[in-house]
């Protein structure tokens, strides 16, 4: 039985389709074959609202549909908004507006979750717990509280039964992804199954608030060396799978700094601190806040920038961090060859790539941006176009890089709104140069050389054992080596046809020579009425018969054999 044949999922599947059809996507779903795949009859689905379809853009209708479908699809839309390589820019812009704000859960339900997860009555855990939430989202809501030691904290609580709802939707998404990969051309390009698995991992990570606590602790330790940056401390004694308790940070919401009349802090200083911190997180640490929008940023009275809500983070391993650094260096130094090489080194190509042509297009793209004054260069938009161009050459970029593009675009938008005179590109230039110096410093080269020597040492130390095992296998009578040449059968077929033609040509030539020779023998050199003439005629006729028989045998052999 298929996934959609299960009664408990069929109703939800029909509800999902109904929402998308109502927002004008019925024809699209029908063309993909999704209605038929789900064994849902189109006549049972609601008709498309034509007025709504013409009144709103595709992106706006998609955003409204995702918001209506709840937490799983809101998260899906937020992740899709990081993929400008997959979706048109106007759709991405709309998905960035997704509102994850819903009516709060009743306080008694929140109390039940906290007490069950932390194993004690609420009064024993906190001296004060505000029943009115600071914020209510589709997955969790946040309350202010006071610990028994007098410390002000915020408590994040998952909504009851949210995991069951999300798991049900994820099963449907997995099945849809598998269907699209197998039945549509889009699957060859996008690999929806892998994307569904990645989304599954992402959303389950966000559902475990202990992981968010670990992310918060990790970022707090990494940014401790950065001036003017703060990350809240986790109260682990009051944290569990469904409950996260953090130090309360009192300050201004970043959105307040967007008002022209706001003069409580130095906006330019705040913007530079924010941009520098995120770029250092990416290029220095390889661990960064992936969603630095105004709602996740607080500014203290002294201009310190605090990062909150570490549900979505990005990670870059050493090699990927170097590649991204080289991409930035290629832009800063106007070296498109370095940029192309970094893209090629991702090893994400799904087919042959015309590197010369790609480099030419990157040159045009680079020049179009870098001819602008520094303050007008949009680094996030530039990387968005670079990654979209790479995707058009069938270079499938890792998810970390598309997330990077989205992070930079979000960061750039915040910086531009609070201090338009600050250029993210200008802030990035000295950081890139410093990181490049570190990359080619004596200590780094020494470290890499020692690491390479260690790896080669392990390889050489294991070589004698490998050779001994190999020689033992060679001595074994049953040991065989199989070699296979790619397209070997095609080449042998061509050779066989050529040899057949040559053989046939030689046979025909032989027959021609023999025929002419016999004709000459019959027609010349013997007097008329010679007694040998009848005897020779018999021999000639017999010889011609043998030649014809041999020729027929040769033709049959050529036509029936593959050798």
């Amino acid at each position: 039985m298929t996934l959609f044949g299960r009664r408990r999922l069929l109703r939800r599947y029909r509800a999902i389709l109904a929402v998308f059809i109502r927002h004008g996507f019925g024809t699209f779903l029908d063309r993909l074959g999704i209605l038929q795949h789900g064994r849902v009859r189109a006549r049972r689905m609601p008709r498309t609202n034509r007025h709504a379809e013409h009144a709103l853009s595709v992106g706006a209708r998609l955003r409204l549909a995702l918001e209506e479908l709840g937490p799983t699809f809101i998260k899906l839309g937020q992740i899709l908004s990081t993929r400008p390589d997959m979706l048109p820019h106007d759709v991405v812009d709309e998905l960035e507006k997704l509102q994850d704000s819903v009516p709060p859960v009743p306080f008694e339900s929140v109390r039940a979750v906290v007490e069950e997860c932390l194993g004690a009555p609420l009064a024993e855990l906190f001296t004060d717990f505000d029943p009115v939430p600071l914020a209510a989202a589709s997955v969790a809501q946040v309350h202010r509280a006071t610990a028994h030691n007098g410390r002000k904290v915020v408590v994040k609580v998952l909504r009851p039964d949210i995991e069951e709802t999300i798991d049900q939707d994820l099963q449907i998404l997995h099945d849809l992804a598998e269907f699209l990969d197998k039945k549509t051309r889009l699957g060859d390009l996008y690999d929806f199954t892998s994307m569904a698995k990645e989304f599954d991992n992402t959303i389950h990570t966000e559902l475990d608030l202990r992981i968010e606590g670990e992310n918060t602790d990790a970022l707090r330790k990494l940014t401790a060396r950065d001036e003017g940056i703060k990350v809240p401390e986790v109260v682990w004694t009051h944290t569990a799978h469904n409950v996260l308790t953090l130090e309360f940070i009192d300050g201004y919401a970043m959105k307040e700094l967007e008002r022209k009349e706001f003069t409580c802090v130095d906006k330019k200083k705040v913007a530079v601190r924010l941009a520098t911190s995120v770029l250092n997180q990416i290029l220095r640490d390889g661990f960064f806040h992936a969603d630095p929008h105004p709602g996740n940023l607080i500014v203290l009275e002294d201009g310190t920038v605090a990062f909150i809500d570490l549900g979505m983070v990005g990670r870059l391993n050493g090699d990927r961090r170097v590649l991204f650094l080289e991409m930035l260096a290629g832009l800063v130094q106007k070296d498109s060859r370095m940029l192309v090489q970094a893209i090629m080194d991702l090893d994400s190509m799904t087919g042959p790539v015309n590197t010369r042509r790609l480099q030419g297009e990157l040159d045009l793209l680079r020049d179009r941006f870098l001819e602008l004054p520094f303050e007008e260069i949009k680094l996030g938009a530039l990387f968005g176009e670079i990654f979209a161009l790479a995707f058009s050459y069938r270079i499938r970029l890792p998810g970390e890089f598309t997330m990077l593009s989205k992070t930079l675009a979000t960061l750039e938008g915040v910086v531009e709104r609070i201090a338009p005179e600050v250029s993210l590109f200008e802030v990035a230039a000295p950081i890139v140069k410093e990181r490049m110096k570190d990359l080619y410093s004596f200590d780094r080269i020494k470290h890499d050389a020692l690491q390479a020597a260690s790896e080669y040492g392990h390889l050489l130390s294991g070589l004698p054992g490998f050779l001994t095992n190999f020689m033992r296998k060679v001595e074994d009578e049953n040991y065989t080596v199989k070699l296979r040449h790619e397209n070997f059968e095609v080449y042998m077929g061509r050779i066989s046809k050529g040899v057949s033609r040559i053989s046939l040509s030689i046979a025909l030539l032989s027959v021609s020579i023999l025929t002419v020779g016999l004709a000459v023998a019959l027609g010349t050199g013997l007097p008329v009425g010679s007694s040998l003439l009848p005897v020779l005629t018999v021999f000639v006729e017999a010889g011609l018969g043998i030649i014809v028989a041999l020729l027929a045998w040769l033709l049959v052999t050529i036509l029936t054999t593959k050798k």
Side-chain angles (χ1 to χ4, degrees), residues 106-132 141 143-149 153-157 237-238 242-245:
F107 176 64
E108 289 306 316
S109 298
V110 172
R111 178 199 292 273
V113 172
V114 173
E115 292 182 343
E116 179 182 356
C117 290
L118 299 184
L122 198 64
E124 293 182 13
L125 297 168
F126 305 97
T127 58
D128 179 59
F129 195 100
D130 191 347
V132 180
Q141 62 188 47
H143 293 258
R144 288 190 61 175
T146 305
H148 282 286
N149 60 4
V153 295
V154 291
V155 184
K156 186 174 184 178
V157 185
T237 56
H238 290 61
N242 288 7
V243 178
L244 173 63
T245 304

Side-chain angles (χ1 to χ4, degrees), residues 189-223:
L189 189 59
Y190 293 109
D191 189 7
F192 289 105
T193 301
S194 297
M195 290 173 62
K197 289 179 181 177
E198 184 178 341
F199 174 62
D200 192 324
N201 292 334
T202 299
I203 199 166
H204 273 108
T205 297
E206 290 193 42
L207 289 175
D208 188 345
L209 296 182
R210 291 170 299 185
I211 296 177
E212 183 177 337
E214 291 169 359
N215 292 339
T216 304
D217 257 0
L219 189 67
R220 184 170 59 86
K221 292 172 183 176
L222 290 170
T223 57

Side-chain angles (χ1 to χ4, degrees), residues 37 83 117 207 302 349 388 495 498:
H37 172 64
R83 300 298 303 265
C117 290
L207 289 175
D302 62 354
M349 294 172 290
I495 293 172

